[in-house]
Amino acid sequence: MTKQIDLEAEIQRLLTEHDRIAEQGVTVQRRENVLVLGGEVESAQRRDEICRQITARYPDLEIACDIGITRTQAPAEVEEIS
């Protein structure tokens, strides 16, 4: 268990300290044998870069990239509330 926590902490540190990532809003959780990256970033390119960097650094881990994209523009249609 401690080894898993250490790995999650190491990946979290990489996410915040890596010069190409520097992302504090991404979480790391273990679900069974998969490491899940979650949270939201401002673009698909940023999400892809984060997933690419983590996968390259940890090629033997199964990683699921469940990072969403933050909507930065106003919605194109009106939301109806009933």
Side-chain angles (χ1 to χ4, degrees), residues 12-68:
Q12 194 71 56
R13 212 170 19 261
L14 175 66
L15 287 167
T16 58
E17 296 175 359
H18 190 281
D19 61 337
R20 293 192 61 152
I21 300 173
E23 186 65 58
Q24 295 181 7
V26 175
T27 60
V28 181
Q29 294 180 329
R30 181 168 298 272
R31 294 186 193 151
E32 297 178 17
N33 294 328
V34 179
L35 210 61
V36 180
L37 302 177
E40 291 190 348
V41 295
E42 69 273 3
S43 70
Q45 293 83 6
R46 184 143 179 81
R47 177 195 58 210
D48 295 347
E49 179 65 22
I50 290 168
C51 294
R52 193 173 17 261
Q53 291 290 332
I54 299 299
T55 301
R57 178 78 184 255
Y58 301 95
D60 296 334
L61 288 178
E62 184 176 350
I63 297 176
C65 195
D66 193 22
I67 300 172

